[in-house]
């Protein structure tokens, strides 16, 4: 891969965008590489958590140079909505470790992750409006779900950057870390997650997503009840409860 670095530490996968000449702006090649990596992660059942990070800057948006002369149909083909959706719907939990700029499509990449940790010095925003466009890879959809409609409109319509403290205050990121402790903070959460029952994590994540997509509260509650009961088919549930009774750490198999 030219634009992504991928490494594994035990069951934790860490992908870092590496296109420093354009502040990690996302062009088609970066997204195609990310798609390929998602194929690998979906197949490799030994990876239990994914951290999405970078060096210096998370990503300063979609690549503006690649977009200037796109026609409507070319813009549709350039858009990376499908890849963001794949990331969002990965069965394993994902953590964005945000440093530097996370703007436009870059912030949308972070929004497609389950959890977000930002360096104290990170700057985030959805500045597409300043380029005569709007967010197009989940920004107008995921932001209001995270921070509420009023704050989402503030970010999207004014197109101004916010700092990490404000992002934490409005719930755009889960927590803020000192710059030198960003990856360590992400690893601490990743290690904790890698010790949970994969079947329960996967089901909890998909139930949260399905619940948010469901406009009927009763239907959503019934779906939760079904998914909850479904976990009693799994070995992980038996192991989790038995380990509690036997006062030992559970050993999950993801089955
Ligand atoms: N695309 C292409 N190149 C970029 C981008 C970008 N998004 N951001 C920075 N760069 C390049 C600059 O052009 C510059 O290159 P060069 O040295 O060759 O001139 C280099 O990175 C360094 O940037 P600056 O000199 O501008 O650095 P500064 O520290 O002065 O400023 C900023 C940093 C504030 C981040 C500034 O670069 C900036 O405003 N960048 C653009 C941010 C932006 O508008 N992002 C949104 C892009 S649109 C988008 O993301 C649409 C998403 C929709 C997704 C749907 C599917 C595609």
């Amino acid at each position: 891969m030219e634009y992504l670095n991928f490494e594994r530490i035990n069951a934790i996968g860490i992908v870092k965008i590496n296109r420093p000449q354009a502040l990690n702006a996302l062009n088609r090649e970066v997204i195609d590489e990310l798609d390929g990596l998602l194929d690998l992660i979906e197949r490799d059942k030994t990876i239990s958590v994914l951290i999405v990070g970078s060096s210096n800057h998370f990503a300063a948006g979609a690549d503006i140079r690649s977009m200037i002369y796109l026609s409507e149909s070319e813009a549709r083909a350039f858009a990376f909505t499908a890849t963001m959706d794949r990331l969002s719907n990965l069965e394993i939990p994902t953590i964005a470790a945000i440093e530097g700029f996370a703007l436009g499509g870059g912030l949308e990449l972070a929004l497609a992750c389950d959890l977000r940790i930002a360096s104290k010095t990170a700057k985030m925003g959805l500045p597409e409006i300043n380029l005569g466009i709007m967010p197009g890879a989940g920004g107008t959809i995921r932001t209001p779900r995270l921070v509420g409609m009023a704050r989402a409109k503030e970010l999207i319509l004014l197109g101004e950057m916010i700092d990490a403290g404000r992002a934490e205050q409005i719930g755009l990121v889960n927590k803020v870390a000192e710059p030198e402790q960003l990856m360590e903070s992400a690893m601490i959460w990743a290690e904790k997650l890698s010790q949970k029952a994969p079947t329960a994590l996967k089901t909890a994540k998909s139930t949260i997503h399905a619940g948010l997509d469901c406009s009927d509260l009763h239907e959503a509650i019934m779906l939760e009840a079904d998914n909850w009961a479904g976990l009693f088919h799994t070995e992980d549930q038996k192991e989790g409860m038995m380990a509690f009774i036997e006062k030992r750490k559970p050993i999950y198999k993801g089955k």
Side-chain angles (χ1 to χ4, degrees), residues 176-204:
V176 176
E178 292 297 330
E180 60 283 2
Q181 283 163 7
L182 176 65
M183 276 317 277
E184 193 187 324
S185 294
M187 282 300 290
I188 289 171
W189 272 8
E191 270 157 23
K192 285 184 181 174
L193 288 164
S194 72
Q195 285 159 28
K196 314 275 180 214
T199 46
L201 284 174
K202 171 175 91 174
T203 310

PDB file of all heavy atoms in Angstrom, residues 176-204:
ATOM      1  N   VAL A 176     -10.407  13.527  25.103  1.00  0.00           N
ATOM      2  CA  VAL A 176      -9.242  14.279  24.623  1.00  0.00           C
ATOM      3  C   VAL A 176      -8.016  13.760  25.357  1.00  0.00           C
ATOM      4  O   VAL A 176      -8.081  13.479  26.558  1.00  0.00           O
ATOM      5  CB  VAL A 176      -9.439  15.796  24.889  1.00  0.00           C
ATOM      6  CG1 VAL A 176      -8.208  16.585  24.490  1.00  0.00           C
ATOM      7  CG2 VAL A 176     -10.661  16.308  24.136  1.00  0.00           C
ATOM      8  N   ALA A 177      -6.924  13.615  24.608  1.00  0.00           N
ATOM      9  CA  ALA A 177      -5.684  13.125  25.228  1.00  0.00           C
ATOM     10  C   ALA A 177      -4.572  14.132  24.974  1.00  0.00           C
ATOM     11  O   ALA A 177      -4.627  14.910  24.005  1.00  0.00           O
ATOM     12  CB  ALA A 177      -5.303  11.785  24.607  1.00  0.00           C
ATOM     13  N   GLU A 178      -3.567  14.114  25.840  1.00  0.00           N
ATOM     14  CA  GLU A 178      -2.366  14.904  25.571  1.00  0.00           C
ATOM     15  C   GLU A 178      -1.774  14.403  24.254  1.00  0.00           C
ATOM     16  O   GLU A 178      -1.833  13.185  23.992  1.00  0.00           O
ATOM     17  CB  GLU A 178      -1.328  14.711  26.691  1.00  0.00           C
ATOM     18  CG  GLU A 178      -1.734  15.306  28.027  1.00  0.00           C
ATOM     19  CD  GLU A 178      -1.905  16.832  27.978  1.00  0.00           C
ATOM     20  OE1 GLU A 178      -1.218  17.486  27.164  1.00  0.00           O
ATOM     21  OE2 GLU A 178      -2.738  17.352  28.751  1.00  0.00           O
ATOM     22  N   PRO A 179      -1.201  15.292  23.429  1.00  0.00           N
ATOM     23  CA  PRO A 179      -0.711  14.860  22.112  1.00  0.00           C
ATOM     24  C   PRO A 179       0.189  13.623  22.164  1.00  0.00           C
ATOM     25  O   PRO A 179       0.031  12.700  21.368  1.00  0.00           O
ATOM     26  CB  PRO A 179       0.057  16.080  21.605  1.00  0.00           C
ATOM     27  CG  PRO A 179      -0.560  17.235  22.323  1.00  0.00           C
ATOM     28  CD  PRO A 179      -1.032  16.726  23.652  1.00  0.00           C
ATOM     29  N   GLU A 180       1.102  13.602  23.144  1.00  0.00           N
ATOM     30  CA  GLU A 180       2.046  12.478  23.170  1.00  0.00           C
ATOM     31  C   GLU A 180       1.409  11.192  23.717  1.00  0.00           C
ATOM     32  O   GLU A 180       1.997  10.126  23.644  1.00  0.00           O
ATOM     33  CB  GLU A 180       3.331  12.848  23.943  1.00  0.00           C
ATOM     34  CG  GLU A 180       3.173  13.252  25.389  1.00  0.00           C
ATOM     35  CD  GLU A 180       2.637  14.683  25.601  1.00  0.00           C
ATOM     36  OE1 GLU A 180       2.339  15.378  24.607  1.00  0.00           O
ATOM     37  OE2 GLU A 180       2.491  15.086  26.760  1.00  0.00           O
ATOM     38  N   GLN A 181       0.186  11.325  24.231  1.00  0.00           N
ATOM     39  CA  GLN A 181      -0.474  10.122  24.772  1.00  0.00           C
ATOM     40  C   GLN A 181      -1.652   9.646  23.920  1.00  0.00           C
ATOM     41  O   GLN A 181      -2.401   8.763  24.323  1.00  0.00           O
ATOM     42  CB  GLN A 181      -0.968  10.400  26.194  1.00  0.00           C
ATOM     43  CG  GLN A 181       0.176  10.367  27.194  1.00  0.00           C
ATOM     44  CD  GLN A 181      -0.180  11.022  28.503  1.00  0.00           C
ATOM     45  OE1 GLN A 181      -1.332  11.405  28.730  1.00  0.00           O
ATOM     46  NE2 GLN A 181       0.815  11.181  29.351  1.00  0.00           N
ATOM     47  N   LEU A 182      -1.795  10.233  22.729  1.00  0.00           N
ATOM     48  CA  LEU A 182      -2.970   9.914  21.904  1.00  0.00           C
ATOM     49  C   LEU A 182      -3.036   8.414  21.549  1.00  0.00           C
ATOM     50  O   LEU A 182      -4.046   7.741  21.801  1.00  0.00           O
ATOM     51  CB  LEU A 182      -2.954  10.760  20.615  1.00  0.00           C
ATOM     52  CG  LEU A 182      -4.073  10.453  19.630  1.00  0.00           C
ATOM     53  CD1 LEU A 182      -5.433  10.812  20.212  1.00  0.00           C
ATOM     54  CD2 LEU A 182      -3.855  11.193  18.310  1.00  0.00           C
ATOM     55  N   MET A 183      -1.950   7.891  20.980  1.00  0.00           N
ATOM     56  CA  MET A 183      -1.987   6.483  20.552  1.00  0.00           C
ATOM     57  C   MET A 183      -2.077   5.554  21.750  1.00  0.00           C
ATOM     58  O   MET A 183      -2.742   4.527  21.709  1.00  0.00           O
ATOM     59  CB  MET A 183      -0.756   6.144  19.698  1.00  0.00           C
ATOM     60  CG  MET A 183      -0.907   6.502  18.245  1.00  0.00           C
ATOM     61  SD  MET A 183      -2.515   6.100  17.502  1.00  0.00           S
ATOM     62  CE  MET A 183      -2.310   4.388  17.086  1.00  0.00           C
ATOM     63  N   GLU A 184      -1.417   5.954  22.838  1.00  0.00           N
ATOM     64  CA  GLU A 184      -1.470   5.138  24.051  1.00  0.00           C
ATOM     65  C   GLU A 184      -2.919   5.051  24.564  1.00  0.00           C
ATOM     66  O   GLU A 184      -3.396   3.984  24.935  1.00  0.00           O
ATOM     67  CB  GLU A 184      -0.565   5.783  25.102  1.00  0.00           C
ATOM     68  CG  GLU A 184      -0.274   4.923  26.297  1.00  0.00           C
ATOM     69  CD  GLU A 184       0.493   5.721  27.350  1.00  0.00           C
ATOM     70  OE1 GLU A 184       1.339   6.569  26.998  1.00  0.00           O
ATOM     71  OE2 GLU A 184       0.209   5.494  28.550  1.00  0.00           O
ATOM     72  N   SER A 185      -3.618   6.195  24.542  1.00  0.00           N
ATOM     73  CA  SER A 185      -5.025   6.211  24.978  1.00  0.00           C
ATOM     74  C   SER A 185      -5.873   5.312  24.086  1.00  0.00           C
ATOM     75  O   SER A 185      -6.733   4.569  24.569  1.00  0.00           O
ATOM     76  CB  SER A 185      -5.625   7.608  24.875  1.00  0.00           C
ATOM     77  OG  SER A 185      -5.008   8.448  25.758  1.00  0.00           O
ATOM     78  N   ALA A 186      -5.620   5.388  22.773  1.00  0.00           N
ATOM     79  CA  ALA A 186      -6.390   4.555  21.839  1.00  0.00           C
ATOM     80  C   ALA A 186      -6.084   3.080  22.097  1.00  0.00           C
ATOM     81  O   ALA A 186      -6.985   2.224  22.073  1.00  0.00           O
ATOM     82  CB  ALA A 186      -6.070   4.934  20.399  1.00  0.00           C
ATOM     83  N   MET A 187      -4.809   2.778  22.366  1.00  0.00           N
ATOM     84  CA  MET A 187      -4.420   1.376  22.616  1.00  0.00           C
ATOM     85  C   MET A 187      -5.058   0.854  23.905  1.00  0.00           C
ATOM     86  O   MET A 187      -5.458  -0.314  23.968  1.00  0.00           O
ATOM     87  CB  MET A 187      -2.886   1.250  22.712  1.00  0.00           C
ATOM     88  CG  MET A 187      -2.188   1.257  21.381  1.00  0.00           C
ATOM     89  SD  MET A 187      -2.694  -0.096  20.283  1.00  0.00           S
ATOM     90  CE  MET A 187      -1.980  -1.512  21.083  1.00  0.00           C
ATOM     91  N   ILE A 188      -5.164   1.713  24.922  1.00  0.00           N
ATOM     92  CA  ILE A 188      -5.769   1.259  26.184  1.00  0.00           C
ATOM     93  C   ILE A 188      -7.217   0.840  25.935  1.00  0.00           C
ATOM     94  O   ILE A 188      -7.652  -0.232  26.362  1.00  0.00           O
ATOM     95  CB  ILE A 188      -5.660   2.362  27.271  1.00  0.00           C
ATOM     96  CG1 ILE A 188      -4.201   2.503  27.710  1.00  0.00           C
ATOM     97  CG2 ILE A 188      -6.568   2.050  28.461  1.00  0.00           C
ATOM     98  CD1 ILE A 188      -3.916   3.697  28.602  1.00  0.00           C
ATOM     99  N   TRP A 189      -7.961   1.665  25.199  1.00  0.00           N
ATOM    100  CA  TRP A 189      -9.351   1.287  24.893  1.00  0.00           C
ATOM    101  C   TRP A 189      -9.391   0.049  23.991  1.00  0.00           C
ATOM    102  O   TRP A 189     -10.221  -0.833  24.171  1.00  0.00           O
ATOM    103  CB  TRP A 189     -10.077   2.464  24.216  1.00  0.00           C
ATOM    104  CG  TRP A 189     -10.704   3.389  25.213  1.00  0.00           C
ATOM    105  CD1 TRP A 189     -10.551   3.347  26.570  1.00  0.00           C
ATOM    106  CD2 TRP A 189     -11.585   4.489  24.938  1.00  0.00           C
ATOM    107  NE1 TRP A 189     -11.280   4.364  27.148  1.00  0.00           N
ATOM    108  CE2 TRP A 189     -11.914   5.066  26.178  1.00  0.00           C
ATOM    109  CE3 TRP A 189     -12.090   5.035  23.775  1.00  0.00           C
ATOM    110  CZ2 TRP A 189     -12.763   6.176  26.281  1.00  0.00           C
ATOM    111  CZ3 TRP A 189     -12.942   6.141  23.866  1.00  0.00           C
ATOM    112  CH2 TRP A 189     -13.269   6.697  25.116  1.00  0.00           C
ATOM    113  N   ALA A 190      -8.468   0.005  23.016  1.00  0.00           N
ATOM    114  CA  ALA A 190      -8.473  -1.137  22.083  1.00  0.00           C
ATOM    115  C   ALA A 190      -8.203  -2.443  22.842  1.00  0.00           C
ATOM    116  O   ALA A 190      -8.853  -3.466  22.594  1.00  0.00           O
ATOM    117  CB  ALA A 190      -7.430  -0.920  20.994  1.00  0.00           C
ATOM    118  N   GLU A 191      -7.253  -2.389  23.780  1.00  0.00           N
ATOM    119  CA  GLU A 191      -6.957  -3.611  24.538  1.00  0.00           C
ATOM    120  C   GLU A 191      -8.153  -4.026  25.386  1.00  0.00           C
ATOM    121  O   GLU A 191      -8.487  -5.205  25.482  1.00  0.00           O
ATOM    122  CB  GLU A 191      -5.711  -3.410  25.401  1.00  0.00           C
ATOM    123  CG  GLU A 191      -4.461  -3.815  24.635  1.00  0.00           C
ATOM    124  CD  GLU A 191      -3.192  -3.172  25.150  1.00  0.00           C
ATOM    125  OE1 GLU A 191      -3.159  -2.759  26.325  1.00  0.00           O
ATOM    126  OE2 GLU A 191      -2.236  -3.068  24.351  1.00  0.00           O
ATOM    127  N   LYS A 192      -8.805  -3.041  26.003  1.00  0.00           N
ATOM    128  CA  LYS A 192     -10.011  -3.373  26.789  1.00  0.00           C
ATOM    129  C   LYS A 192     -11.064  -4.015  25.899  1.00  0.00           C
ATOM    130  O   LYS A 192     -11.685  -5.015  26.253  1.00  0.00           O
ATOM    131  CB  LYS A 192     -10.596  -2.105  27.432  1.00  0.00           C
ATOM    132  CG  LYS A 192      -9.808  -1.619  28.622  1.00  0.00           C
ATOM    133  CD  LYS A 192     -10.487  -0.426  29.257  1.00  0.00           C
ATOM    134  CE  LYS A 192      -9.669   0.067  30.451  1.00  0.00           C
ATOM    135  NZ  LYS A 192     -10.179   1.287  31.029  1.00  0.00           N
ATOM    136  N   LEU A 193     -11.273  -3.421  24.722  1.00  0.00           N
ATOM    137  CA  LEU A 193     -12.296  -3.946  23.802  1.00  0.00           C
ATOM    138  C   LEU A 193     -11.935  -5.345  23.326  1.00  0.00           C
ATOM    139  O   LEU A 193     -12.817  -6.198  23.150  1.00  0.00           O
ATOM    140  CB  LEU A 193     -12.452  -3.008  22.593  1.00  0.00           C
ATOM    141  CG  LEU A 193     -13.145  -1.677  22.880  1.00  0.00           C
ATOM    142  CD1 LEU A 193     -12.896  -0.681  21.749  1.00  0.00           C
ATOM    143  CD2 LEU A 193     -14.646  -1.876  23.073  1.00  0.00           C
ATOM    144  N   SER A 194     -10.627  -5.586  23.135  1.00  0.00           N
ATOM    145  CA  SER A 194     -10.222  -6.893  22.593  1.00  0.00           C
ATOM    146  C   SER A 194     -10.439  -8.004  23.613  1.00  0.00           C
ATOM    147  O   SER A 194     -10.358  -9.176  23.279  1.00  0.00           O
ATOM    148  CB  SER A 194      -8.766  -6.857  22.118  1.00  0.00           C
ATOM    149  OG  SER A 194      -7.906  -6.807  23.221  1.00  0.00           O
ATOM    150  N   GLN A 195     -10.701  -7.630  24.859  1.00  0.00           N
ATOM    151  CA  GLN A 195     -10.962  -8.658  25.875  1.00  0.00           C
ATOM    152  C   GLN A 195     -12.454  -8.925  26.085  1.00  0.00           C
ATOM    153  O   GLN A 195     -12.830  -9.772  26.886  1.00  0.00           O
ATOM    154  CB  GLN A 195     -10.305  -8.255  27.191  1.00  0.00           C
ATOM    155  CG  GLN A 195      -8.785  -8.461  27.119  1.00  0.00           C
ATOM    156  CD  GLN A 195      -8.038  -7.649  28.144  1.00  0.00           C
ATOM    157  OE1 GLN A 195      -8.576  -7.344  29.193  1.00  0.00           O
ATOM    158  NE2 GLN A 195      -6.821  -7.291  27.818  1.00  0.00           N
ATOM    159  N   LYS A 196     -13.304  -8.183  25.409  1.00  0.00           N
ATOM    160  CA  LYS A 196     -14.750  -8.402  25.540  1.00  0.00           C
ATOM    161  C   LYS A 196     -15.189  -9.522  24.596  1.00  0.00           C
ATOM    162  O   LYS A 196     -14.455  -9.885  23.672  1.00  0.00           O
ATOM    163  CB  LYS A 196     -15.538  -7.134  25.187  1.00  0.00           C
ATOM    164  CG  LYS A 196     -15.018  -5.861  25.789  1.00  0.00           C
ATOM    165  CD  LYS A 196     -15.539  -5.631  27.173  1.00  0.00           C
ATOM    166  CE  LYS A 196     -14.992  -4.321  27.752  1.00  0.00           C
ATOM    167  NZ  LYS A 196     -14.767  -4.392  29.195  1.00  0.00           N
ATOM    168  N   ALA A 197     -16.411  -9.995  24.800  1.00  0.00           N
ATOM    169  CA  ALA A 197     -16.940 -11.045  23.930  1.00  0.00           C
ATOM    170  C   ALA A 197     -17.209 -10.475  22.539  1.00  0.00           C
ATOM    171  O   ALA A 197     -18.041  -9.573  22.398  1.00  0.00           O
ATOM    172  CB  ALA A 197     -18.223 -11.596  24.525  1.00  0.00           C
ATOM    173  N   PRO A 198     -16.535 -10.991  21.498  1.00  0.00           N
ATOM    174  CA  PRO A 198     -16.752 -10.448  20.150  1.00  0.00           C
ATOM    175  C   PRO A 198     -18.206 -10.542  19.700  1.00  0.00           C
ATOM    176  O   PRO A 198     -18.703  -9.636  19.031  1.00  0.00           O
ATOM    177  CB  PRO A 198     -15.853 -11.329  19.267  1.00  0.00           C
ATOM    178  CG  PRO A 198     -14.820 -11.873  20.182  1.00  0.00           C
ATOM    179  CD  PRO A 198     -15.482 -12.031  21.520  1.00  0.00           C
ATOM    180  N   THR A 199     -18.877 -11.608  20.069  1.00  0.00           N
ATOM    181  CA  THR A 199     -20.282 -11.767  19.647  1.00  0.00           C
ATOM    182  C   THR A 199     -21.148 -10.676  20.277  1.00  0.00           C
ATOM    183  O   THR A 199     -22.044 -10.134  19.628  1.00  0.00           O
ATOM    184  CB  THR A 199     -20.814 -13.139  20.094  1.00  0.00           C
ATOM    185  OG1 THR A 199     -20.435 -13.341  21.450  1.00  0.00           O
ATOM    186  CG2 THR A 199     -20.270 -14.255  19.228  1.00  0.00           C
ATOM    187  N   ALA A 200     -20.877 -10.358  21.543  1.00  0.00           N
ATOM    188  CA  ALA A 200     -21.664  -9.322  22.225  1.00  0.00           C
ATOM    189  C   ALA A 200     -21.339  -7.940  21.654  1.00  0.00           C
ATOM    190  O   ALA A 200     -22.234  -7.123  21.432  1.00  0.00           O
ATOM    191  CB  ALA A 200     -21.392  -9.364  23.721  1.00  0.00           C
ATOM    192  N   LEU A 201     -20.049  -7.677  21.393  1.00  0.00           N
ATOM    193  CA  LEU A 201     -19.665  -6.377  20.811  1.00  0.00           C
ATOM    194  C   LEU A 201     -20.341  -6.171  19.463  1.00  0.00           C
ATOM    195  O   LEU A 201     -20.913  -5.115  19.185  1.00  0.00           O
ATOM    196  CB  LEU A 201     -18.145  -6.321  20.597  1.00  0.00           C
ATOM    197  CG  LEU A 201     -17.256  -6.106  21.815  1.00  0.00           C
ATOM    198  CD1 LEU A 201     -15.791  -6.223  21.403  1.00  0.00           C
ATOM    199  CD2 LEU A 201     -17.511  -4.746  22.456  1.00  0.00           C
ATOM    200  N   LYS A 202     -20.251  -7.221  18.628  1.00  0.00           N
ATOM    201  CA  LYS A 202     -20.823  -7.142  17.271  1.00  0.00           C
ATOM    202  C   LYS A 202     -22.330  -6.894  17.333  1.00  0.00           C
ATOM    203  O   LYS A 202     -22.869  -6.045  16.615  1.00  0.00           O
ATOM    204  CB  LYS A 202     -20.514  -8.475  16.570  1.00  0.00           C
ATOM    205  CG  LYS A 202     -21.174  -8.691  15.261  1.00  0.00           C
ATOM    206  CD  LYS A 202     -20.684  -9.981  14.623  1.00  0.00           C
ATOM    207  CE  LYS A 202     -21.538 -11.151  15.009  1.00  0.00           C
ATOM    208  NZ  LYS A 202     -21.173 -12.394  14.302  1.00  0.00           N
ATOM    209  N   THR A 203     -22.993  -7.613  18.239  1.00  0.00           N
ATOM    210  CA  THR A 203     -24.451  -7.493  18.318  1.00  0.00           C
ATOM    211  C   THR A 203     -24.847  -6.145  18.928  1.00  0.00           C
ATOM    212  O   THR A 203     -25.809  -5.513  18.475  1.00  0.00           O
ATOM    213  CB  THR A 203     -25.040  -8.664  19.137  1.00  0.00           C
ATOM    214  OG1 THR A 203     -24.500  -9.874  18.617  1.00  0.00           O
ATOM    215  CG2 THR A 203     -26.550  -8.718  19.034  1.00  0.00           C
ATOM    216  N   ALA A 204     -24.110  -5.717  19.945  1.00  0.00           N
ATOM    217  CA  ALA A 204     -24.429  -4.406  20.554  1.00  0.00           C
ATOM    218  C   ALA A 204     -24.281  -3.299  19.515  1.00  0.00           C
ATOM    219  O   ALA A 204     -25.139  -2.415  19.387  1.00  0.00           O
ATOM    220  CB  ALA A 204     -23.509  -4.146  21.739  1.00  0.00           C
TER     221      ALA A 204
END
